[in-house]
Amino acid sequence: MGKKYVIIADDDEDDRMLVQSAFHENRTDVQIDFAVDGYDLMERLTREPAASSTHFILLDLNMPKKDGREALKEIKQNPGLKKIPVIVFTTAKNESEIRKCYDLGANTYIVKPDGFEELRKIVMNLTSYWLDTAVIPS
Amino acid sequence: MKVSGIYAIAFGLSLLVLFVFSWLLNDSIATMRDKSDWEEHSQFVIAQLYELNVAMADIESSHRGFLLTGDSTLLQLLYSSRTRVPMLLDTLSSLTRDNVRQQRNLSVLRDATVRRLHKSQEVINRAPYLTPEQLRKELNEGNRLMDDFRSRIKTVVELEKSLLKERTNSRRIYESLTPTYFMTIFTVASIIAIASFIQLLRESTERRKAREMLELRLQTLAQLNSELKQIAYVTSHDLQEPLRKIQTFSDLLNIKYGVSIPIEARDVLTRVIRNANFIRELISDLSDFANLVNPIEVKQKHVDLNKVLIDVQKNLNGEIEKKQAKFFISTLPLIDGFERQLFVLFREVITNSLKFSRAAVPPEITVTGNLMIGDELGHIRTGNRRFTVISIYDNGIGFDNVLASKIFILFQKLHGSDSPYPGKGIGLAICQRILSNHDGYITARGESGKGTRIQMFFPIVT
């Protein structure tokens, strides 16, 4: 089986580095691509391999130019892209934000943790569920 | 108040002057018309007297002509004039009813007239039989009677003329005085009107200034509020971000390289993590507090405090069991409020009671609810408003009452960081904020080593 393809959309370099570390700690069969804002993400999704083989998107909400909410909305309204699981991964934890994201079609909502150990566990759970367990149309 | 009073008085005065002015004007016109009427009256009397005089002169000349010529056609003028005389006399008599002196004069005149006419008729009747000597005598007698009439009528005319003169003078004086009189009143009224207008203008300017000032303040306040919201947002979000990363990176360092760094360095790292955690909690509390200043809950509803307390007990179950705390809760009333905030309120107070318990003494927490009239609240001026009062007593370490006012201030602690009572000093500040959001009050009384009583006053809206 080939490499799994995951996009991480986050404008924060630190967070990208931490998530990447957490992925590396867990498994080596994942290819990670980074998007630094909503435009970057949407543009990436129109090209290969992202267009056809993205296993999931880890999406930060607060990004410059086009934020995570707008990108989420566009993805879930696009017939070709809406099957891609979108995991909102953000610091905001207020009720209305969470509700809004699910309304827009988010598949999961996760609040960024305080420690690296928790982050590692989150990435482990995410990959084991979305890469190994869940079935999505190809 | 003072300015309005002056304005009201000025306005009242000008109104009064206006009334007086119009009344006087009306009165003056009436007087003028009256005076003028009297003048015309005198002129009419004089005219009537002249007419009488003319009639009598006609009678006299007709009478004499007949006596001298014997031509009876000459008598026609006499007869026609004679019928007018009584009418003229009656008119005059009725016209001069107002003046006793003139009436008396007129009565004398009437006698003289009647005498003349009477004598004239008698002489005419006897004329065919009169000798020239008798005729001359009669003519003389006639002259004498006529002179008598003339002198009488002259008296009447002169009196009437003097009356006319008097009346004309009076009217003229009145006429000349009236403009001055009205000018004075008009000037006074104008001054008052202008003064009150200036007053009004000044007052309205002051009001406008005050309103502008108020608007400006409101604007400043709105700006401050919006800045506060921004600060609240920054604290709740932007400030937490780098901290979270400090924590995570320290964590990463510890997990990945913990074994390979010296023990001393690891201890430093542990301290960094501990402090980062503490700041994180502080910011989180501050953010909670800021969110209470601009709460999301905007609509109050009926809240069952019994249920709120049960939820709080469930929430704090771990700590309650650890400390073996006992609760004594009487039936609490329903109040109108924000449910989420009330939960936080009771959680903070109960948490304090659990935290500040005496060593080796299990906490006993008593909660009661009752009704109170505002006047009974002592130092807080509340008028006659009614309150639901919730009192929470504990048997903890209490505190010195001198410090009672300090404990509600944000991040004020009564215990040093080395004490066995850790905390950040935000709990009661949050409680006070929540009571403020309910238009209520919170008070605390303590007794060192014995316990604390927290009382919360929720106004009852009628």
Side-chain angles (χ1 to χ4, degrees):
Chain A
M1 206 171 176
K3 280 207 168 187
K4 315 278 186 183
Y5 184 73
V6 171
I7 303 179
I8 294 167
D10 200 321
D11 63 312
D12 191 301
E13 206 271 325
D14 292 338
D15 275 336
R16 291 202 297 267
M17 178 259 184
L18 284 169
V19 174
Q20 194 174 28
S21 299
F23 267 90
H24 286 162
E25 291 277 309
N26 277 300
R27 48 204 292 171
T28 51
D29 63 335
V30 181
Q31 187 199 330
I32 299 169
D33 255 1
F34 293 103
V36 294
D37 58 53
Y39 281 113
D40 192 13
L41 173 65
M42 296 315 294
E43 202 258 340
R44 225 164 262 275
L45 284 172
T46 60
R47 287 179 311 190
E48 292 301 332
S52 61
S53 58
T54 301
H55 281 79
F56 67 82
I57 299 165
L58 207 57
L59 180 68
D60 182 28
L61 287 182
N62 296 309
M63 290 189 292
K65 295 181 201 168
K66 182 181 281 181
D67 70 17
R69 301 164 195 85
E70 289 170 90
L72 173 63
K73 194 176 170 189
E74 275 181 45
I75 291 166
K76 291 301 175 185
Q77 282 178 355
N78 183 323
L81 300 177
K82 66 178 179 187
K83 61 174 186 180
I84 303 172
V86 177
I87 289 96
V88 175
F89 190 63
T90 184
T91 39
K93 51 183 161 190
N94 65 68
E95 183 78 19
S96 63
E97 191 75 85
I98 297 168
R99 197 178 295 276
K100 195 182 167 194
C101 284
Y102 279 110
D103 283 347
L104 290 175
N107 296 75
T108 303
Y109 190 108
I110 294 169
V111 177
K112 287 180 182 173
D114 288 348
F116 186 74
E117 186 53 33
E118 289 102 303
L119 180 63
R120 206 180 57 78
K121 271 187 199 149
I122 286 169
V123 170
M124 189 177 76
N125 290 335
L126 275 180
T127 50
S128 99
Y129 181 75
W130 290 107
L131 302 182
D132 305 334
T133 317
V135 177
I136 48 172
S138 55
Chain B
M1 184 66 199
K2 199 176 140 200
V3 178
S4 303
I6 291 167
Y7 167 65
I9 289 167
F11 183 73
L13 265 176
S14 22
L15 208 67
L16 189 72
V17 167
L18 207 67
F19 272 123
V20 171
F21 189 84
S22 64
W23 181 77
L24 285 173
L25 195 67
N26 191 43
D27 187 55
S28 159
I29 289 166
T31 312
M32 197 87 96
R33 198 194 299 129
D34 201 37
K35 283 183 188 298
S36 180
D37 281 353
W38 277 112
E39 223 180 322
E40 273 174 32
H41 179 87
S42 285
Q43 279 161 349
F44 187 60
V45 169
I46 290 165
Q48 295 289 301
L49 285 167
Y50 277 125
E51 210 175 306
L52 178 65
N53 201 23
V54 169
M56 286 301 281
D58 285 350
I59 289 166
E60 186 62 20
S61 71
S62 165
H63 171 81
R64 288 178 77 94
F66 171 71
L67 285 188
L68 291 172
T69 61
D71 181 357
S72 63
T73 58
L74 290 175
L75 282 176
Q76 270 180 355
L77 180 62
L78 185 145
Y79 290 132
S80 73
S81 295
R82 208 168 59 183
T83 53
R84 279 163 48 218
V85 170
M87 257 160 57
L88 285 167
L89 280 171
D90 285 348
T91 308
L92 280 165
S93 147
S94 85
L95 281 174
T96 54
R97 262 197 311 246
D98 61 293
N99 193 321
V100 184
R101 232 175 103 204
Q102 196 65 306
Q103 283 257 282
R104 216 181 295 133
N105 288 343
L106 208 64
S107 148
V108 175
L109 177 65
R110 185 187 283 270
D111 289 350
T113 312
V114 169
R115 266 203 305 280
R116 180 68 197 101
L117 292 179
H118 201 260
K119 186 70 189 168
S120 162
Q121 188 55 51
E122 187 215 340
V123 174
I124 288 166
N125 290 343
R126 288 197 286 122
Y129 319 106
L130 288 176
T131 63
E133 180 58 23
Q134 280 173 318
L135 186 66
R136 196 183 48 82
K137 211 177 152 195
E138 286 303 335
L139 281 172
N140 283 342
E141 178 62 11
N143 272 343
R144 194 190 60 78
L145 282 173
M146 200 56 200
D147 286 346
D148 183 44
F149 166 81
R150 285 202 185 96
S151 86
R152 299 294 178 211
I153 200 166
K154 199 179 162 204
T155 313
V156 178
V157 168
E158 267 165 14
L159 179 59
E160 200 59 40
K161 274 187 174 169
S162 82
L163 274 174
L164 176 63
K165 203 178 161 191
E166 214 173 89
R167 281 164 184 171
T168 305
N169 274 343
S170 158
R171 178 181 59 79
R172 284 200 183 131
I173 289 167
Y174 194 78
E175 261 174 6
S176 71
L177 273 182
T178 303
T180 328
Y181 183 52
F182 279 108
M183 202 57 209
T184 313
I185 291 175
F186 184 75
T187 311
V188 170
S190 301
I191 288 168
I192 292 171
I194 289 166
S196 65
F197 180 70
I198 289 169
Q199 193 61 47
L200 175 76
L201 212 66
R202 194 181 297 162
E203 196 179 331
S204 91
T205 310
E206 270 170 24
R207 276 190 193 173
R208 204 192 60 231
K209 274 186 191 161
R211 201 183 55 229
E212 279 170 2
M213 182 100 87
L214 214 64
E215 274 166 10
L216 198 72
R217 291 236 173 106
L218 217 63
Q219 218 178 334
T220 317
L221 208 65
Q223 199 190 333
L224 284 177
N225 200 37
S226 122
E227 282 167 6
L228 196 69
K229 274 186 189 167
Q230 284 170 34
I231 290 169
Y233 183 78
V234 167
T235 51
S236 70
H237 186 262
D238 296 13
L239 279 185
Q240 300 205 38
E241 270 297 287
L243 265 170
R244 183 181 57 78
K245 280 188 226 155
I246 291 174
Q247 287 175 301
T248 315
F249 281 122
S250 310
D251 214 13
L252 179 62
L253 192 63
N254 209 11
I255 288 168
K256 275 191 143 179
Y257 309 104
V259 283
S260 57
I261 54 173
I263 291 178
E264 217 175 307
R266 214 184 303 161
D267 179 51
V268 173
L269 192 60
T270 313
R271 284 171 192 272
V272 169
I273 294 172
R274 196 176 62 218
N275 276 288
N277 281 339
F278 186 67
I279 299 175
R280 190 81 198 280
E281 280 171 28
L282 270 183
I283 290 175
S284 167
D285 285 351
L286 197 60
S287 155
D288 286 350
F289 184 75
N291 285 334
L292 278 173
V293 178
N294 293 294
I296 308 157
E297 274 180 295
V298 285
K299 210 165 169 246
Q300 294 200 346
K301 55 182 183 184
H302 296 306
V303 180
D304 182 0
L305 293 179
N306 300 293
K307 190 182 162 292
V308 170
L309 260 179
I310 289 168
D311 290 344
V312 169
Q313 281 174 292
K314 272 186 204 157
N315 188 266
L316 299 173
N317 196 31
E319 195 66 12
I320 290 170
E321 283 191 353
K322 200 174 111 192
K323 295 248 180 173
Q324 292 179 299
K326 279 193 200 136
F327 281 87
F328 304 94
I329 301 172
S330 55
T331 308
L332 301 176
L334 273 175
I335 66 165
D336 290 322
F338 306 109
E339 192 164 20
R340 177 71 208 158
Q341 291 183 32
L342 290 170
F343 172 80
V344 173
L345 171 68
F346 281 94
R347 190 189 61 200
E348 291 299 329
V349 175
I350 303 284
T351 300
N352 273 351
S353 287
L354 293 172
K355 192 199 283 178
F356 299 109
S357 61
R358 277 178 282 166
V361 181
E364 288 180 3
I365 300 165
T366 310
V367 184
T368 63
N370 48 341
L371 223 91
M372 214 180 242
I373 305 291
D375 281 348
E376 298 166 35
L377 291 184
H379 69 287
I380 300 167
R381 277 185 297 146
T382 53
N384 285 324
R385 292 166 70 194
R386 294 191 313 147
F387 289 87
T388 300
V389 185
I390 308 294
S391 309
I392 301 179
Y393 307 86
D394 66 41
N395 60 341
I397 56 169
F399 63 91
D400 187 347
N401 272 320
V402 179
L403 305 166
S405 61
K406 274 198 161 183
I407 64 173
F408 291 107
I409 299 171
L410 195 59
F411 295 133
Q412 277 276 345
K413 293 185 287 184
L414 300 187
H415 305 277
S417 47
D418 294 338
S419 82
Y421 303 104
K424 298 179 296 293
I426 194 167
L428 286 173
I430 283 178
C431 292
Q432 192 172 47
R433 185 66 241 175
I434 291 171
L435 262 303
S436 289
N437 288 354
H438 287 83
D439 295 324
Y441 311 90
I442 184 166
T443 61
R445 283 196 70 76
E447 201 175 330
S448 276
K450 293 212 169 152
T452 302
R453 183 194 71 185
I454 300 283
Q455 283 195 305
M456 298 173 280
F457 301 86
F458 295 94
I460 295 171
V461 184
T462 44

